[in-house]
Amino acid sequence: MLLCAPRSSGAKRDLWRSANETLHELRSRHCNCDFEPDSSETRQMFSDIWKVVFEEEPLAEDLKSESWKRMGFQSSDPRTDIRAGRFALDQLHYFTVVHPQKLR
């Protein structure tokens, strides 16, 4: 039997508690955040993504462009694709900023 923690019950309990705390923090800080399509933070995140993916193309002030479809968005306004809260945008933004070469 393979275990990720020492066999002592105290270590298992601490690992379980730590995992639950991490999951709770993830849910409360990220998964339950409302998506605000017109906020400056949303605009900045989409702008950061745009600069990595479409380096040479200028981004319109209203964020709309048919180029978003080339990246997989369903419409020319990427904000309409965010339906389940801001977590998806946070993830895409993180991936874009941390691993830009993989997104090109």
Side-chain angles (χ1 to χ4, degrees):
M1 182 172 169
L2 180 64
L3 293 175
C4 295
R7 290 187 178 260
S8 74
S9 61
K12 288 180 191 175
R13 188 172 30 254
D14 289 344
L15 180 61
W16 176 253
R17 185 178 307 121
S18 175
N20 276 336
E21 288 169 359
T22 301
L23 181 58
H24 178 71
E25 180 180 349
L26 176 65
R27 284 182 182 155
S28 63
R29 284 191 170 185
H30 299 285
C31 295
N32 294 330
C33 292
D34 290 336
F35 175 65
E36 298 175 16
D38 297 320
S39 76
S40 61
E41 185 177 19
T42 295
R43 177 157 180 42
Q44 185 60 54
M45 284 195 280
F46 277 119
S47 179
D48 292 345
I49 294 165
W50 181 273
K51 289 174 187 171
V52 168
V53 178
F54 307 110
E55 300 172 281
E56 302 300 318
E57 293 180 46
L59 178 60
E61 187 65 33
D62 64 0
L63 297 176
K64 294 178 184 177
S65 172
E66 289 297 312
S67 294
W68 288 111
K69 292 180 182 180
R70 293 192 338 239
M71 196 178 153
F73 287 94
Q74 295 177 0
S75 75
S76 61
D77 185 350
R79 295 170 293 185
T80 62
D81 282 9
I82 309 296
R83 297 182 183 96
R86 200 181 85 191
F87 189 58
L89 179 58
D90 288 339
Q91 293 298 298
L92 179 59
H93 183 259
Y94 174 84
F95 183 78
T96 303
V97 171
V98 175
H99 304 287
Q101 69 284 356
K102 292 182 181 182
L103 202 59
R104 291 190 179 118

